[in-house]
Amino acid sequence: MSLEQVRPVQGEPLHRGRLGRLRRFEPASLIWVLAVAALLFLVATPMVRLVISSLQTTDTGTLTIDNYISAYGQLRNLEALGNSLLYALEVTLMSALMAVPIAWGVSRTDMPAKSLIRALILGAFITPPYLGAIGWILLAGPNAGWLNRAWMTITGSHSGFIDVYSFTVLSLVTALYAFPYIFVFTSDALDRVSSEMEEAANILGAGNFYTVFRITLPLVTPAILGGAIVVFLDTVALFGTPAIIALPARIRIMTLQLWQYFEFPVRAEVAAAYAIPLIIITLALFWVQRAILGRRSYVALTGKGGSRTLTPLGPWRWVILGYSLFVVSLAVILPYAALGKAAFSKAWGLGFTLANVTLDNFYSLLAEEGARRTIVHSFTYSAAAGCVAVALALLAAYVVNRKLMPGANLLTMLCMAPLVIPGIVLGIGFYAAFASPPVALYGTAAILILGYSTRFLPIAYVNCAASLRSLNPEMEEAVRILGGTRLRAIARVIVPMLKKSLLGTWLLVFIPATRELSTAIFLVGAQTRVISVMMLDLSENGSFEILAALGFFLLGATILIVLLGYKIIGRDFMLRRS
Amino acid sequence: MSERETGKHSRLSLSGLSCVYGKVAAVDKLSMDISPGEFISLLGPSGCGKTTTLRMIAGFVRPTGGTIAMDGETISSTDGSLPPEKRQMSMIFQSYAIWPNMTVAENVAFGLKLRRIDRASIRTKVQAMLDTVRLGALADRYPAELSGGQQQRVALARAMVIEPRVLLLDEPLSNLDANLREEMRFEIRRLHDAFHFTTVYVTHDQGEAMVTSDRIAVMNLGRLEQIDAPHALYTRPKTRFVAGFIGRTNFLEGRIAGDRIAFDHFDLPRGVFQAEELGKSGAVVFSVRPHCISLHREAGASDQHIAVQARLVQRAYLGEYWDYVVSPLGSDVRLKVAATPSQVFDVGDTLWLKFDPQQMAPIEA
């Protein structure tokens, strides 16, 4: 074969005016643009709308600061704000006290029964806080609560020793379902601390106890702090537990005041004004975190030597196990025992007689048309939200990862923004932006699905970005050099390769969406009721038996899904920090 | 500096030290004595038990047999072992393990604070030590703001500032790049010359061990193969493993027959070797370094008795020297020979090999 025979393929010249530019246009680009538009619509609109409507009069829409005056001009609103901050602070401290010792015990010592403790903490993690709160009403109701009745029987006293309708117990009950966050963050960080860090202190003369407090715990401070901030923000914006405990206890909490602006006459503009501090608090906390950490770095500096030897505790390992069991009993074992009793009782206050046992509560859930529809709503909306969130997050993460558009980092910020928007604020923002015309989604399934998708978008984004980073871009470049388009590469290579982690991501959106309350409470309509809202209604009516049955149903479904997730994706996908 | 006094440096004695995990003996009846102020390297391939030995000395691992004594006092035995924090030793870890949440100065001061030294002396000592490791200007930096070599120096300073009775180093240079590693070897030796701490240094790099150590203990499969000064280890290896592990070598297997030693198709007079090193009869194995064999076109008259005719079968030019492979005529033996760049021969040439009996080390067969 002579050289002349090998000619380059005669292609068209690359540049030929407008036509040439069109040739270079990737159809996929349109999808990026659409994805960005969708993100702006979902994340930016409600927030902008929230701020604008806080500055407008209800009817005419003229500029005003009246809303702020009526929100903060009242002493009770200021008191509620103060109470909320105090409440969040107490919950954060209690959570840290519960989580950190257990995390240390599980991650770095030879404490026995670690997997049992982990499983029970996962149980607390997947328990909706309001369900736990109801369990605690059954346990620590002033007179009828189990614990109090047991106390009165044993001691012969005339009153109980614990009152669920008090500020401290409100904080305790909230902390019992918030501490898993700090636990996950802390144990994950502790798993990464190389034993050489501790051994270096040992050999210089530090005993084990001193080492834990001077080396190990300081090394994971950022993780503890990170978890604590999540707990604080979650609590400040928490609606369910205060609605169940603080409302009857007449403790003024900010989220409850916010909710009251949606009672007739609806004053969404005042609510918007009153919600603004939540955003400011959030931003301030992240700033504080940054200031505290400063120049210190906490990541392991060198790769090698990352082995981990467990600290032998001797007899002390039983102490830490005892403490762990105590905490998880309070969070899981006792409340579920109480709920279980109620779910199978005709009346939960009636005690343990055979005559009191019944399956009617479960029957009535399945028999009643409204209850059945509510359950179906929760699961279908959550499933749809999972799909929307994963699809949007994957596209956004892809655009950012491959730097397909200028300002891709703004996209990251957009995706992560809902993390710093309290659920209740998001609900109000969605209401303000989408409830009324021109969008007019109020009372539709779509507004709930979009609300859930937005609320849990950061979880989806973080996971998608992480799995994309783990993927070698050459996989995809191989498709394109062989003539495949970018979309084909995504559909035929990326999605199949990330199948497992995308499913895991979907579950991480789906599971919290099934119990979401604080966004849903503002967005449900008469025809779109979901489980969490139904539980709140049942609690207001005092129908604890049916409520407990519903709670068990939700728990059973969640456990099934989590087990399925374990089977498909691998252990620990829930208790991983993401 | 007070660190120059050698009085407080400790003698370390390992006797019959073993560590058995399940059925595998990580360390098998190891015995050695380390003099006060001596720098010993534990050298061997990965899995030879050197790190386990070091961790037993530090007190992180309890032996399953034998004892460790420091200045005559038993600190590790099967009955019990003094916890690491009570041993007054210090250690430099493979990952350095400098605490990222403390500044350089705080890291170095950590051990001193535990010794309840007053604040002013701590400051002086820390500053002096940082100056010694040439980090004086970086005292207030955080570790993440330092380069790998600087982090290494922090680890050295932190370990040495407490004037340990024994200084332990666990492959401290394995995370550095090649140039820095070279520099830090000399740095470690310089610091040892300044302070004379009794030092145990674990490495799998013979170059590091040669540069830093007074004596090198070569370990294999949990056992001590040989412990000697670097040059003795190289020139007089006692076992096949040591000869092969330290530098390149040729093994010559022969048999003593009367006053000659017979090899494969050639022999050498027995009289040229030091009699006490060889047995009366039976098999012998010599280790011969490539540069201890010379190549000649002609056999000189005076040393005919140690010359062997051979054919050149392979060659490679490596810049600093020629790397030849020769085979004595009629023999299957292949010998590596290093020659200066000016000594050029071609493949196929018939040459005379000359052995230097002084540089042929008989090893345990």
Side-chain angles (χ1 to χ4, degrees):
Chain A
M1 197 157 78
S2 74
L3 269 177
E4 284 90 328
Q5 280 175 303
V6 189
R7 273 205 231 122
V9 180
Q10 278 288 310
E12 284 142 85
L14 272 176
H15 303 283
R16 201 190 274 166
R18 188 168 296 169
L19 198 69
R21 199 169 301 162
L22 215 61
R23 248 173 205 298
R24 285 189 289 158
F25 176 78
E26 273 186 61
S29 308
L30 206 63
I31 294 180
W32 315 148
V33 175
L34 283 177
V36 173
L39 283 174
L40 281 171
F41 177 72
L42 284 180
V43 181
T45 326
M47 288 306 104
V48 173
R49 193 62 219 151
L50 182 79
V51 176
I52 291 176
S53 62
S54 78
L55 291 166
Q56 282 178 332
T57 56
T58 314
D59 337 307
T60 56
T62 47
L63 205 63
T64 176
I65 57 162
D66 283 353
N67 296 324
Y68 286 86
I69 291 171
S70 58
Y72 299 105
Q74 300 176 52
L75 198 61
R76 61 191 167 100
N77 277 3
L78 290 177
E79 186 199 332
L81 180 61
N83 273 348
S84 275
L85 292 177
L86 187 66
Y87 168 52
L89 192 69
E90 271 190 23
V91 170
T92 308
L93 291 177
M94 287 182 185
S95 302
L97 282 178
M98 293 175 193
V100 174
I102 303 181
W104 178 72
V106 167
S107 285
R108 301 209 71 93
T109 73
D110 60 347
M111 181 181 99
K114 286 181 184 175
S115 40
L116 174 73
I117 297 295
R118 266 184 183 279
L120 288 171
I121 289 178
L122 178 64
F125 201 41
I126 61 174
T127 302
Y130 48 84
L131 187 61
I134 286 160
W136 271 89
I137 288 182
L138 304 181
L139 285 172
N143 292 312
W146 274 28
L147 292 179
N148 284 330
R149 278 196 285 168
W151 172 263
M152 288 187 272
T153 313
I154 295 166
T155 62
S157 149
H158 291 291
S159 59
F161 70 111
I162 179 169
D163 180 5
V164 73
Y165 299 113
S166 64
F167 202 96
T168 313
V169 178
L170 169 68
S171 301
L172 175 73
V173 170
T174 313
L176 286 173
Y177 303 95
F179 89 92
Y181 284 111
I182 303 187
F183 172 84
V184 169
F185 275 63
T186 309
S187 75
D188 184 81
L190 283 171
D191 282 347
R192 287 162 208 252
V193 172
S194 150
S195 283
E196 290 194 348
M197 290 285 183
E198 294 174 326
E199 288 171 355
N202 284 151
I203 196 82
L204 288 172
N208 282 339
F209 189 75
Y210 188 83
T211 305
V212 168
F213 284 94
R214 280 303 311 277
I215 303 295
T216 318
L217 289 182
L219 279 175
V220 297
T221 309
I224 299 175
L225 208 61
I229 285 178
V230 170
V231 167
F232 187 93
L233 294 176
D234 234 41
T235 309
V236 158
L238 192 65
F239 179 73
T241 312
I244 286 165
I245 296 179
L247 206 60
R250 298 181 189 284
I251 300 168
R252 289 212 171 88
I253 292 290
M254 191 179 183
T255 48
L256 299 178
Q257 298 294 109
L258 273 174
W259 169 232
Q260 272 160 19
Y261 286 118
F262 283 80
E263 308 269 294
F264 189 79
V266 175
R267 297 173 69 197
E269 290 75 20
V270 184
Y274 194 45
I276 299 288
L278 284 177
I279 298 179
I280 296 172
I281 291 168
T282 307
L283 293 177
L285 270 184
F286 281 104
W287 181 82
V288 166
Q289 181 186 28
R290 202 170 254 211
I292 292 178
L293 300 186
R295 287 190 298 152
R296 281 161 234 210
S297 156
Y298 288 85
V299 277
L301 292 173
T302 39
K304 262 192 169 181
S307 68
R308 190 154 53 97
T309 46
L310 300 176
T311 309
L313 289 181
W316 286 99
R317 67 187 196 276
W318 300 107
V319 175
I320 183 94
L321 176 65
Y323 181 72
S324 308
L325 282 173
F326 174 68
V327 171
V328 294
S329 322
L330 293 187
V332 181
I333 298 172
L334 286 177
Y336 275 113
L339 285 168
K341 164 92 181 15
F344 294 97
S345 296
K346 288 179 181 144
W348 69 275
L350 277 185
F352 301 89
T353 54
L354 209 58
N356 195 19
V357 175
T358 178
L359 283 174
D360 283 354
N361 301 319
F362 289 93
Y363 265 133
S364 65
L365 272 184
L366 296 177
E368 199 206 323
E369 171 75 16
R372 246 185 8 230
R373 285 208 354 236
T374 302
I375 292 171
V376 172
H377 286 161
S378 267
F379 287 103
T380 47
Y381 297 170
S382 303
C387 296
V388 173
V390 170
L392 271 179
L394 181 66
L395 283 175
Y398 184 82
V399 171
V400 172
N401 187 271
R402 302 285 192 263
K403 299 189 175 57
L404 294 178
M405 288 201 334
N409 285 333
L410 280 173
L411 214 54
T412 305
M413 278 175 61
L414 212 52
C415 285
M416 296 306 288
L419 197 67
V420 300
I421 305 171
I424 196 156
V425 178
L426 190 73
I428 298 170
F430 255 69
Y431 182 92
F434 303 137
S436 42
V439 190
L441 286 177
Y442 187 73
T444 64
I447 196 167
L448 276 164
I449 293 171
L450 293 179
Y452 290 163
S453 312
T454 311
R455 174 109 206 255
F456 301 114
L457 187 63
I459 302 179
Y461 181 78
V462 168
N463 278 284
C464 286
S467 34
L468 270 181
R469 265 197 302 278
S470 71
L471 205 66
N472 189 342
E474 289 177 0
M475 298 281 181
E476 184 193 338
E477 282 158 8
V479 174
R480 304 200 65 202
I481 201 73
L482 290 173
T485 62
R486 210 182 258 284
L487 284 181
R488 191 181 187 81
I490 293 178
R492 299 301 294 274
V493 174
I494 293 188
V495 172
M497 285 188 74
L498 297 183
K499 208 163 41 189
K500 267 190 177 183
S501 61
L502 289 180
L503 184 62
T505 308
W506 183 83
L507 282 175
L508 287 175
V509 174
F510 176 76
I511 292 170
T514 54
R515 69 265 328 271
E516 211 289 331
L517 175 63
S518 54
T519 304
I521 193 89
F522 296 97
L523 301 180
V524 285
Q527 299 304 311
T528 56
R529 205 157 71 131
V530 291
I531 292 178
S532 56
V533 176
M534 177 175 167
M535 282 199 190
L536 203 67
D537 293 345
L538 287 170
S539 150
E540 272 173 34
N541 300 338
S543 320
F544 291 125
E545 296 81 9
I546 295 183
L547 199 167
L550 183 58
F552 263 86
F553 180 80
L554 182 62
L555 182 80
T558 310
I559 289 176
L560 263 172
I561 293 162
V562 170
L563 287 180
L564 198 71
Y566 275 179
K567 199 161 169 75
I568 299 174
I569 303 150
R571 258 178 55 74
D572 257 18
F573 83 101
M574 281 286 289
L575 281 186
R576 224 170 28 202
R577 178 182 172 182
S578 50
Chain B
M1 262 179 133
S2 61
E3 284 88 347
R4 280 173 203 281
E5 299 159 10
T6 53
K8 63 176 67 124
H9 306 312
S10 296
R11 171 184 302 280
L12 211 52
S13 312
L14 321 185
S15 52
L17 196 63
S18 299
C19 183
V20 182
Y21 295 112
K23 282 189 171 176
V24 187
V27 177
D28 192 7
K29 299 194 191 71
L30 185 74
S31 295
M32 66 172 85
D33 266 304
I34 303 168
S35 319
E38 193 178 20
F39 194 124
I40 291 267
S41 282
L42 302 181
L43 176 67
S46 61
C48 73
K50 54 193 193 296
T51 294
T52 307
T53 306
L54 194 79
R55 293 177 66 81
M56 284 195 282
I57 296 175
F60 291 119
V61 176
R62 186 191 285 196
T64 56
T67 59
I68 301 173
M70 182 160 61
D71 293 331
E73 178 200 357
T74 302
I75 53 172
S76 283
S77 71
T78 46
D79 302 333
S81 113
L82 197 65
E85 60 264 29
K86 301 263 168 65
R87 298 193 170 205
Q88 299 168 48
M89 299 180 175
S90 60
M91 180 159 170
I92 290 161
F93 294 86
Q94 210 172 55
S95 66
Y96 320 147
I98 47 177
W99 304 301
N101 53 328
M102 301 183 195
T103 62
V104 168
E106 286 166 350
N107 262 282
V108 177
F110 185 88
L112 294 175
K113 281 188 191 146
L114 282 166
R115 281 160 182 70
R116 304 188 191 289
I117 297 170
D118 66 280
R119 221 177 263 191
S121 335
I122 289 184
R123 200 171 314 131
T124 332
K125 276 175 188 268
V126 167
Q127 195 55 48
M129 183 49 77
L130 285 177
D131 288 338
T132 311
V133 298
R134 298 169 187 152
L135 285 178
L138 304 178
D140 294 323
R141 294 271 190 99
Y142 280 99
E145 299 163 336
L146 302 179
S147 70
Q150 287 166 337
Q151 290 175 16
Q152 176 71 75
R153 287 165 197 272
V154 176
L156 281 166
R158 186 179 70 183
M160 291 187 306
V161 76
I162 61 162
E163 299 168 32
R165 292 173 74 179
V166 177
L167 179 63
L168 307 170
L169 299 97
D170 184 11
E171 306 221 17
L173 306 186
S174 58
N175 279 325
L176 297 178
D177 62 49
N179 286 335
L180 228 94
R181 215 178 303 164
E182 189 115 341
E183 182 192 325
M184 285 306 293
R185 300 175 180 173
F186 289 101
E187 181 73 8
I188 287 172
R189 182 66 213 188
R190 178 181 76 85
L191 292 167
H192 184 259
D193 289 341
F195 299 120
H196 296 291
F197 296 125
T198 306
T199 304
V200 183
Y201 184 107
V202 160
T203 180
H204 62 264
D205 182 320
Q206 46 162 307
E208 276 175 30
M210 300 277 235
V211 169
T212 54
S213 315
D214 297 322
R215 282 192 300 160
I216 298 174
V218 180
M219 293 181 66
N220 184 35
L221 301 173
R223 275 192 293 273
L224 180 64
E225 291 273 339
Q226 185 175 353
I227 179 162
D228 248 322
H231 72 274
L233 213 54
Y234 186 78
T235 53
R236 306 311 284 179
K238 291 208 177 83
T239 68
R240 188 180 273 265
F241 178 81
V242 173
F245 192 74
I246 311 261
R248 300 194 311 149
T249 198
N250 299 293
F251 291 112
L252 280 177
E253 296 180 12
R255 177 164 290 280
I256 299 174
D259 61 350
R260 298 198 71 80
I261 302 176
F263 299 95
D264 184 14
H265 286 81
F266 66 97
D267 56 14
L268 295 169
R270 188 182 164 189
V272 300
F273 297 99
Q274 283 170 322
E276 66 269 24
E277 284 189 321
L278 300 177
K280 287 259 182 276
S281 64
V284 284
V285 182
F286 291 95
S287 157
V288 192
R289 301 289 179 191
H291 60 86
C292 299
I293 306 173
S294 53
L295 294 176
H296 306 271
R297 296 252 181 229
E298 311 287 338
S302 61
D303 41 15
Q304 191 94 51
H305 58 294
I306 49 165
V308 172
Q309 216 169 13
R311 185 179 305 281
L312 201 149
V313 292
Q314 192 181 311
R315 69 171 196 179
Y317 179 60
L318 295 175
E320 288 178 26
Y321 59 92
W322 276 101
D323 200 13
Y324 293 119
V325 176
V326 296
S327 188
L329 291 184
S331 167
D332 290 333
V333 173
R334 290 177 157 239
L335 297 171
K336 296 181 280 252
V337 179
T340 58
S342 59
Q343 286 183 290
V344 186
F345 306 105
D346 280 318
V347 171
D349 286 357
T350 303
L351 304 163
W352 286 92
L353 300 178
K354 270 185 206 159
F355 293 99
D356 177 358
Q358 301 307 315
Q359 300 202 61
M360 292 175 69
I363 58 177
E364 290 164 11

